[in-house]
Structure formats: structure tokens, C-alpha cells
Amino acid sequence: PKYTISLKKDAKEFEVDEEDFINLKAPKNIDEYSEEWDEVIRQKSRIESIDHARVYYPLDVCKGNVEIIDTPGLNDIDANRVEITYNYLDKADAIIFLLAADQALTATEAFFLQERISKNKFNDIFFLINRKDMLHGEEEEQDVIEYVKRNIKNYLPTDYLVDGKIFLVSSKQAILYRRNANGEELGRSALQKLPESLEATGFVAFESALRSYLDQDKGRERIDLYHKRGLKILADIAESI
């Protein structure tokens, strides 16, 4: 495990310890006449000076030089941060589109699918529906999955294969299970929410599908993408002639 920070002004990367890294968070909103105002301004200035952070950790899903990039959310009020997310679309080998089970597919998310995904023909999206633990039973879980599947088909190309790309998970339960498995002592409240297995959180199925896709399918999909682009260019040339 290691944590590094890169600054905007000179792109210099330096290592920080775990406590310093955890304390790197957006300052709370307070009144400018508060006694804490000066400290909040200092915190804000420090956060805004950072370009990105890197977290190194021995996770199975990151074996084989896999890097997971956590980009700003689509509902971020800062337009510049949203643009960061858009800029990574062409660079990523796979896109993990995170939805919430209790508020699946907001208007912003639907717009993103229609304007940024569908028009650019991205075929490498995994839809991860989080907060599985908020649902009540298998019937409600299946209803949410079907709702998402039915609605995203309205915004994606007709030839896009949704099956095998939608997963219902509970990140809260998965992290509790892994903390417990690593020997960390959990409180009573956390133990009550502990799942019976990691498989029950949905993450085993998702990580297996992602790993299989990166190992086997990505190369074939990239060739197929260039093939389709080539055919389109030829069709445009033929039409011009």
C-alpha cells in the first residue's frame, strides 16, 4: 500500500502517509464569519492545488497492471470536474458506470448515455447498480435490474449487448466483509450488516466478468471498433465520389 499526490503547478509526485491521505477531503461549508473560516480556506486551497492522487493496494482485480480511475460524478456542480470524466472515456479500456439502486438512471445519467456514449459507439460499459443492501429480497432486486436494462436500451445503439454487463452490488457490505476477513475488529452495528459471503455482495461476479473482459474480449472489441470505423470512412468516400 502506498499513497502519492501530484500537484497541478509542476506535476511533481510525492508520497504521503495514510493519515494525511485520509484527511485530504473537501472542507465543510461554513459561514465566512466563523472562527474556522481561515482553516477552511487553507484546506480548499490545498485541495485545489492537487491534480490527482494515486493509491497503490494489492487487490486481485488490479493484477496485471490494471488501473482503476475514479473520476468525478456526472452530477458534480463543477463543470471542469465533469469534463475530466468525459476526457477519460477515450482513454479507458472499460467504463464502470455507477448507478444507485434507490435512484437508478437520473436525468443527468440518461443524458450522458445518449450524448456521450451512444454517439461515440462505446461498447465497453459495465453498469454497476450499487446499494443492493437497500433492497428487500430477490424480487425487488430483479425489478431494479430489469428497470435499468429496459431504460438504458432506450439510449444505446440497438446492437449494444446489455446482457452480462449489468451487476447489482453492495459496496458497503463488500468492504465490511473484506475488513472482517483481514482481521479488523468491527463494531456491533457493522457486524449486523456483515454479509454471509462475498458472493452475496455481487462483487465476485462483477470482478470476474471485468477480468475476463480485459483479458480476452477487449482486443477483439477494439479490432471490431476500428473495422466499423473503416467501413464508415469507406462509405463516406464512396458517397463523396
Side-chain angles (χ1 to χ4, degrees):
K2 186 171 76 169
Y3 308 88
T4 66
I5 300 294
S6 289
L7 301 179
K8 291 177 181 176
K9 62 179 181 180
D10 53 13
K12 183 181 178 181
E13 188 174 74
F14 59 93
E15 191 172 342
V16 295
D17 62 28
E18 185 173 0
E19 185 179 356
D20 280 346
F21 179 77
I22 290 171
N23 286 329
L24 279 174
K25 48 193 172 188
K28 56 186 177 183
N29 292 321
I30 62 170
D31 190 275
E32 62 180 299
Y33 299 107
S34 168
E35 293 179 359
E36 300 175 82
W37 179 253
D38 289 342
E39 177 58 29
V40 166
I41 293 300
R42 277 194 293 272
Q43 281 183 305
K44 191 171 186 293
S45 177
R46 187 184 183 198
I47 291 291
E48 289 178 349
S49 71
I50 296 172
D51 183 69
H52 66 271
R54 287 182 186 270
V55 179
Y56 298 81
Y57 206 82
L59 293 173
D60 283 345
V61 74
C62 290
K63 286 180 179 177
N65 295 320
V66 173
E67 294 183 354
I68 299 174
I69 301 168
D70 182 22
T71 60
L74 301 176
N75 296 312
D76 199 309
I77 58 173
D78 188 324
N80 292 327
R81 286 202 291 264
V82 174
E83 199 57 38
I84 291 172
T85 300
Y86 289 153
N87 289 336
Y88 269 110
L89 293 179
D90 284 322
K91 301 176 186 177
D93 290 312
I95 298 166
I96 301 172
F97 195 99
L98 190 62
L99 302 167
D102 52 349
Q103 195 183 5
L105 218 59
T106 64
T108 305
E109 290 161 349
F111 176 81
F112 175 79
L113 282 176
Q114 194 168 28
E115 295 299 314
R116 296 286 183 150
I117 299 295
S118 180
K119 289 183 178 179
N120 289 287
K121 307 295 187 207
F122 292 110
N123 290 315
D124 45 12
I125 317 170
F126 287 81
F127 294 92
L128 211 57
I129 311 169
N130 195 21
R131 299 182 187 172
K132 179 184 178 183
D133 51 292
M134 302 287 287
L135 303 177
H136 305 93
E138 291 184 10
E139 186 176 343
E140 191 172 357
E141 290 174 6
Q142 197 58 41
D143 286 345
V144 169
I145 292 172
E146 289 301 321
Y147 172 82
V148 170
K149 184 186 293 187
R150 192 166 57 248
N151 279 276
I152 60 178
K153 282 183 176 180
N154 293 331
Y155 302 105
L156 295 175
T158 53
D159 60 345
Y160 187 86
L161 299 176
V162 174
D163 293 330
K165 295 284 185 69
I166 300 177
F167 297 88
L168 183 63
V169 302
S170 170
S171 59
K172 180 183 285 185
Q173 288 186 317
I175 195 69
L176 285 176
Y177 184 90
R178 283 174 165 152
R179 286 169 61 192
N180 186 62
N182 287 340
E184 185 177 334
E185 190 173 335
L186 301 178
R188 184 182 299 176
S189 175
L191 286 171
Q192 289 176 344
K193 298 171 184 174
L194 195 65
E196 58 186 25
S197 66
L198 190 59
E199 284 81 3
T201 70
F203 267 89
V204 172
F206 162 63
E207 290 180 1
S208 175
L210 178 62
R211 192 157 37 239
S212 175
Y213 173 76
L214 293 174
D215 287 346
Q216 301 169 28
D217 301 335
K218 185 60 191 179
R220 288 195 296 269
E221 287 210 0
R222 183 163 286 182
I223 290 171
D224 185 50
L225 177 65
Y226 291 135
H227 177 241
K228 287 179 180 177
R229 286 180 181 174
L231 290 177
K232 185 179 185 309
I233 291 168
L234 288 173
D236 290 343
I237 291 171
E239 186 178 342
S240 297
I241 291 172

